[in-house]
Amino acid sequence: MTAVIPTPQIPEKPALEGLEAKWSGAWETQGTYRFDRAAALAAGSVFSVDTPPPTASGSLHIGHVFSYTHMDLATRFHRMRGEQIFYPMGWDDNGLPTERRVQNYYGVRCDPKLPYIPSYVPPMEGVDNASAKAADQVPISRRNFIELCERLTVEDEKQFEDLWRTMGLSVDWSLTYRTIGHEAQTVAQRAFLRNLARGEAYQADAPTLWDITFRTAVAQAELEDKEQPAAYHQVTFHRPDGETIEIATTRPELLPACVALVAHPDDERYQHLFGTTVTTPIFGVEVPVVAHHLAQKDKGTGIAMICTFGDVTDVVWWRELDLPNRTVLGRDGRFLAEAPAADLFTDAGRAAYADLAGKTVFSAKARTVELLRESGDLIGEPKPMMHAVKFYEKGDKPLEIVSTLQWYIANGARDAGLRERLVDAGKKVAFHPDFMRVRYDNWVGGLTGDWLISRQRFFGVPIPVWYRIGADGERGDVLVPTEDSLPIDPSTDVPPGFTEDQRGVAGGFEGDLDIMDTWATSSLTPQIAGGWETDHELFNLVFPYSLRSQGQDIIRTWLFSTVLRAQLEHGAIPWKNAGISGFIVDPDRKKMSKSKGNVVTPAAMLDEHGSDAVRYWAASSRLGTDAAFDPQNPKQMKIGRRLAIKVLNAAKFVYSFEATPATVTAPLDIDMLAELAQVVRIATKAYEEYDHARALEVTEQFFWTFCDDYLELVKERAYAGDGSSVAALREAIDILLRLLAPVLPFATEEVWSWTHDGSVHTAAWPTLEAEAPRGLLPAVSAALIGIRRAKTEAQASQKTEVSRAVLAGPTMLAEAADDLRGVGRIASLEFVAAAEIEVREIVLAESPAAP
């Protein structure tokens, strides 16, 4: 018997602890994941990844780990296939989430009217000390506020990067970018200026969804419906002949903004009223009765009031029926001091409005109900109900609709030709899974307005325009910078041909103080990371990208807007493949999210279970499939940790046998490698089709069979120095490490380092032809499977030995009988291995261990 040869590089007791720190540092030092441009140019191709830039305000959550792991699995596979990988990482660090975090963290709020204070020290620092109440926050200048935003996002991004490194993302960290950075601002402003020059960007004074907390406009893609309590109020309008018309409304406070009553054109109850007028209660304004197909016969009384503006349907009616605008709400969510249509009100109506001026919507509603009772125009008591109300996805109060001057980018809502191009672009992108494509198509088909991109906030990419001020002091033409001067900030920079002392005076200029919606920058991540217009060689190499990987909830925002910008600027799709991850749901099958309060942060999971275990959990779910997660019983992570530990221990066992030049000749060894070849075939095809879960499933299944059965079958031969078994063991573990490397990067890298130079993650993906015998009989495997199954049925001990084997048929199967000793399972077994193999009987010796 040959003694076991200890290998100095193999630890006495391999463990998962500490591998993340050890190998993440080594990968960075060795440049394991560094993009090799020269090699990519020589090959003429690259696998490029358009990475989602996570919002760097706050903390990552389990959903990030889920979808980013899916992206990393595909990237690691393509790297091992010999492709050059362009894999950047971005940080989405501008916009409302960052501003809110800065307000709460430092206890400040922005007041653009205040002067800048050099070397400003905030009143407090840290979430535990700061306050979310505006009244408790210290007002500071815009510049001071932006400096604090910059400071905090830099710190947040460091923490995010540390977590991603711990997770084992194979990102090239030299390719990191920030959406507030110099390059990103240049790209976003250049794209906007080109949109403007082509007529795709424009300004309009129109009804706008408005968040009164943040005092900013909100785009359609940022809406979220929430069920809210309300009440129907039965209110009477009056006809000239004395007849009354009853309507039901949840917003009686908007009566002073009423411009018409509307009913469905087929509703016989109201057809005689179309073309006539009625008078509003309290305010005494004469308004028309009109017909429109969006009116619902079965809702309320079937006739509704159109107010400017109660909801988005009011906007549609107002626009299509060419009605007047009588907006009564200001940007602060309070009733304006003076009503736009006060001259139409009766004296009593003007007095009533004066009672509402300056009130919040809530207070105005209560007062209006009192006035309706006093006038006798409220029928009965309000009837409580629940209905869906639109919120800004990051806001706390219902949105209102106010008329404001905003910037828009055409998105196909009003241009049938562009809409068709966007639908066609969606068909050219390979969605994984394919059924996710319908969400893109439905979004494009359901657009109701162009993309509102301007925001009345502070920390973001400035809209790069100024306005000429005429001699009369009125705003005039739009002034634009040259592209070579970008990025610019109109609040501090001066347009060509002007000087700073002309700012804000007649004959001079004023800068646009709005910033772009964060998606207006994030929609350009392929251009930002790829060096659009600054590095033509790189951009031509990576664009269109190979993969965009993301969650399904941002198909309508990030995915769609990126397709839109690529179509407008390049007439091309931005990437060839879109991998769409499902949601993470809690044990009650509810989606995990910060707003629901059931989200789990990944740091604790990584500490408890290890990165490989967490990655295993993510890899076990197919794209597009929701994954349940129970923090109290994370079964999949426990299974993943057990798998990673088994990889260490099984490899230690295999590598304990000295490698000698030998050929795999034993039937059982040949058959095992033949089955492994089939695993390689299936796993490779699965990864090519972005089905990482199937690749893991087939690999893991084989790995456990390999450990539980094959190792037991051949270990006596291996201890005895049999060259065939040792060669087969080493060949199998070498292939299995590479198959498992995308899922378990730390455990596999650790094992690989014991016997190999270089990284397993840059090693060649196993191939069928080069590393696996082919055309071999499955007889031995069939015998083993039959024996294991019969063991359970006979309840025999695992230690019961095979004493006699009467095997008719191929010599290969007969020679394998000795390998079956020690794992006999039954008293007798009949099986058919293949059509050409006769019935065989394996008889176990009587043993005290047998039942």
Side-chain angles (χ1 to χ4, degrees):
M1 179 177 291
T2 302
V4 175
I5 307 298
T7 304
Q9 294 91 339
I10 301 178
E12 183 65 30
K13 294 182 179 180
L16 297 177
E17 286 70 25
L19 294 186
E20 291 90 349
K22 173 182 177 180
W23 288 111
S24 61
W27 291 331
E28 181 64 24
T29 301
Q30 298 164 8
T32 304
Y33 306 128
R34 193 64 55 86
F35 173 58
D36 188 337
R37 182 189 290 213
L41 288 169
S45 65
V46 62
F47 186 84
S48 49
V49 185
D50 183 19
T51 317
T55 301
S57 55
S59 58
L60 294 169
H61 58 75
I62 192 171
H64 287 107
V65 170
F66 193 59
S67 61
Y68 281 72
T69 298
H70 293 166
M71 173 175 57
D72 195 59
L73 295 169
T75 305
R76 286 182 176 278
F77 166 71
H78 283 276
R79 182 182 288 110
M80 296 177 73
R81 289 287 290 269
E83 298 176 66
Q84 295 303 315
I85 305 297
F86 182 77
Y87 191 5
M89 175 59 71
W91 307 118
D92 189 7
D93 43 19
N94 71 80
L96 287 173
T98 298
E99 290 188 22
R100 171 176 273 188
R101 174 157 161 72
V102 167
Q103 290 173 199
N104 295 343
Y105 191 86
Y106 293 114
V108 298
R109 57 185 172 85
C110 182
D111 185 344
K113 298 187 295 294
L114 295 178
Y116 174 69
I117 301 175
S119 304
Y120 176 74
V121 177
M124 52 189 68
E125 187 165 341
V127 178
D128 293 337
N129 299 321
S131 171
K133 295 181 180 179
D136 297 333
Q137 295 169 347
V138 177
I140 60 175
S141 73
R142 176 173 180 158
R143 183 176 169 188
N144 286 128
F145 187 75
I146 289 175
E147 287 179 352
L148 291 179
C149 290
E150 288 274 6
R151 183 197 304 181
L152 190 57
T153 53
V154 168
E155 293 303 314
D156 285 343
E157 287 157 13
K158 289 178 182 177
Q159 296 180 27
F160 277 31
E161 181 176 331
D162 289 344
L163 189 141
W164 282 145
R165 287 181 183 273
T166 301
M167 270 295 300
L169 294 191
S170 57
V171 164
D172 181 349
W173 292 104
S174 69
L175 301 176
T176 304
Y177 64 88
R178 306 173 68 219
T179 59
I180 199 64
H182 182 279
E183 296 81 3
Q185 290 201 41
T186 298
V187 168
Q189 291 186 341
R190 180 192 300 122
F192 173 83
L193 291 176
R194 294 191 181 184
N195 292 141
L196 182 61
R198 292 191 296 261
E200 298 152 357
Y202 64 91
Q203 217 172 10
D205 191 351
T208 305
L209 287 162
W210 188 264
D211 187 283
I212 62 174
T213 302
F214 291 108
R215 305 283 179 88
T216 187
V218 175
Q220 181 183 354
E222 299 170 306
L223 303 183
E224 181 176 291
D225 284 342
K226 296 182 181 179
E227 287 292 317
Q228 297 290 300
Y232 272 125
H233 302 75
Q234 200 96 342
V235 177
T236 57
F237 281 66
H238 305 273
R239 295 194 67 202
D241 61 4
E243 180 185 354
T244 58
I245 308 299
E246 297 177 5
I247 65 105
T249 179
T250 60
R251 303 207 61 178
E253 74 278 11
L254 292 182
L255 272 168
C258 179
V259 292
L261 294 188
V262 63
H264 195 279
D266 297 335
D267 195 329
E268 296 179 355
R269 293 173 295 175
Y270 303 111
Q271 285 179 343
H272 69 288
L273 297 178
F274 297 148
T276 67
T277 62
V278 294
T279 302
T280 61
I282 303 176
F283 301 97
V285 177
E286 191 175 354
V287 298
V289 181
V290 297
H292 196 279
H293 67 276
L294 289 181
Q296 301 176 42
K297 298 179 184 180
D298 57 351
K299 184 175 181 179
T301 61
I303 188 167
M305 65 176 183
I306 301 174
C307 299
T308 54
F309 297 93
D311 58 24
V312 291
T313 307
D314 279 343
V315 176
V316 175
W317 282 330
W318 167 79
R319 182 179 292 119
E320 295 187 3
L321 296 170
D322 194 24
L323 297 169
N325 186 345
R326 295 175 188 156
T327 299
V328 295
L329 285 178
R331 295 187 179 193
D332 58 358
R334 294 178 178 270
F335 274 65
L336 298 171
E338 294 185 9
D343 57 322
L344 300 177
F345 295 173
T346 62
D347 289 342
R350 280 188 284 273
Y353 186 84
D355 212 6
L356 303 181
K359 282 184 166 56
T360 64
V361 169
F362 179 82
S363 298
K365 179 179 291 185
R367 180 55 182 147
T368 303
V369 171
E370 291 176 357
L371 292 171
L372 287 169
R373 282 200 182 98
E374 293 171 6
S375 68
D377 289 309
L378 180 68
I379 302 173
E381 289 300 311
K383 298 177 181 178
M385 46 87 75
M386 296 289 291
H387 67 160
V389 177
K390 295 197 179 300
F391 281 69
Y392 171 48
E393 60 188 357
K394 296 178 175 64
D396 303 319
K397 295 181 179 179
L399 293 173
E400 296 294 348
I401 298 177
V402 299
S403 292
T404 58
L405 185 65
Q406 302 288 347
W407 282 100
Y408 297 83
I409 290 179
N411 64 2
R414 305 176 187 279
D415 183 338
L418 177 56
R419 187 194 297 261
E420 203 54 44
R421 284 170 54 198
L422 293 170
V423 171
D424 185 59
K427 294 176 182 176
K428 294 177 181 176
V429 175
F431 279 75
H432 307 283
D434 187 67
F435 66 77
M436 283 293 176
R437 185 191 315 277
V438 71
R439 301 198 179 193
Y440 171 86
D441 292 340
N442 289 344
W443 177 252
V444 176
L447 289 167
T448 58
D450 284 333
W451 180 14
L452 188 159
I453 66 158
S454 50
R455 295 291 181 273
Q456 291 65 54
R457 296 302 300 174
F458 315 109
F459 188 56
V461 179
I463 292 178
V465 300
W466 301 266
Y467 305 96
R468 189 185 303 277
I469 300 179
D472 58 358
E474 295 297 317
R475 177 184 285 189
D477 298 339
V478 171
L479 304 171
V480 299
T482 58
E483 287 193 8
D484 59 8
S485 66
L486 300 176
I488 62 103
D489 183 349
S491 69
T492 55
D493 294 319
V494 175
F498 290 82
T499 58
E500 179 60 34
D501 59 6
Q502 292 177 280
R503 186 184 297 274
V505 300
F509 72 93
E510 65 176 346
D512 194 316
L513 298 182
D514 287 353
I515 62 171
M516 294 187 198
D517 163 26
T518 186
W519 292 109
T521 306
S522 296
S523 60
L524 296 164
T525 52
Q527 290 84 351
I528 295 169
W532 174 51
E533 296 292 3
T534 59
D535 190 337
H536 297 288
E537 180 183 82
L538 177 63
F539 191 70
N540 291 334
L541 194 59
V542 302
F543 188 91
Y545 284 60
S546 306
L547 175 65
R548 150 69 64 87
S549 189
Q550 64 168 73
Q552 59 180 298
D553 53 331
I554 51 174
I555 289 176
R556 64 193 173 98
T557 49
W558 192 42
L559 189 148
F560 168 72
S561 61
T562 309
V563 173
L564 171 67
R565 302 306 285 277
Q567 280 295 305
L568 295 178
E569 189 59 44
H570 311 288
I573 56 174
W575 4 257
K576 301 165 189 173
N577 297 279
I580 311 298
S581 301
F583 289 130
I584 308 300
V585 296
D586 64 17
D588 296 326
R589 304 302 296 181
K590 295 178 181 177
K591 177 191 171 187
M592 284 190 170
S593 67
K594 291 180 181 179
S595 62
K596 296 183 186 302
N598 61 352
V599 74
V600 177
T601 56
M605 299 188 311
L606 295 172
D607 289 342
E608 181 177 357
H609 304 288
S611 297
D612 281 350
V614 174
R615 290 175 64 98
Y616 171 89
W617 161 77
S620 300
S621 292
R622 285 177 167 81
L623 289 174
T625 303
D626 294 348
F629 178 70
D630 183 356
Q632 306 305 316
N633 186 26
K635 294 173 61 176
Q636 285 294 99
M637 291 183 189
K638 293 178 180 179
I639 294 172
R641 182 173 178 82
R642 177 170 169 257
L643 174 64
I645 292 172
K646 190 65 174 181
V647 167
L648 296 177
N649 292 331
K652 180 177 184 293
F653 172 76
V654 170
Y655 289 144
S656 68
F657 299 106
E658 184 178 12
T660 57
T663 304
V664 178
T665 57
L668 184 63
D669 304 334
I670 293 173
D671 193 65
M672 180 273 294
L673 290 177
E675 286 201 30
L676 182 53
Q678 180 67 3
V679 171
V680 171
R681 179 186 296 110
I682 296 171
T684 302
K685 185 174 186 295
Y687 269 121
E688 289 173 343
E689 297 174 351
Y690 293 89
D691 189 356
H692 49 257
R694 174 59 178 151
L696 172 59
E697 178 184 40
V698 67
T699 302
E700 181 185 15
Q701 186 178 41
F702 179 89
F703 176 77
W704 284 113
T705 301
F706 172 82
C707 294
D708 293 346
D709 298 335
Y710 179 75
L711 290 181
E712 293 298 324
L713 292 172
V714 302
K715 66 181 181 182
E716 289 186 11
R717 282 199 287 121
Y719 280 126
D722 174 65
S724 174
S725 59
V726 173
L729 284 168
R730 283 181 167 263
E731 183 73 9
I733 205 71
D734 186 87
I735 292 174
L736 285 167
L737 286 175
R738 284 176 284 162
L739 290 175
L740 289 169
V743 180
L744 310 175
F746 294 104
T748 55
E749 186 75 304
E750 172 70 10
V751 170
W752 192 262
S753 71
W754 297 343
T755 55
H756 295 76
D757 294 327
S759 170
V760 67
H761 304 299
T762 55
W765 183 258
T767 57
L768 209 59
E769 294 74 19
E771 303 178 73
R774 307 188 64 178
L776 302 172
L777 292 173
V780 175
S781 295
L784 179 59
I785 292 171
I787 290 172
R788 288 178 58 80
R789 182 185 302 116
K791 173 260 183 181
T792 302
E793 296 171 357
Q795 298 182 350
S797 167
Q798 292 188 10
K799 297 181 180 180
T800 302
E801 294 189 350
V802 176
S803 64
R804 180 166 59 88
V806 181
L807 299 168
T811 303
M812 178 184 292
L813 188 60
E815 291 176 348
D818 285 342
D819 291 323
L820 300 178
R821 296 180 63 81
V823 293
R825 300 294 190 263
I826 56 173
S828 65
L829 167 68
E830 289 185 351
F831 65 93
V832 178
E836 74 276 18
I837 301 176
E838 300 173 9
V839 176
R840 305 157 181 90
E841 182 182 41
I842 299 176
V843 181
L844 302 178
E846 295 181 4
S847 167

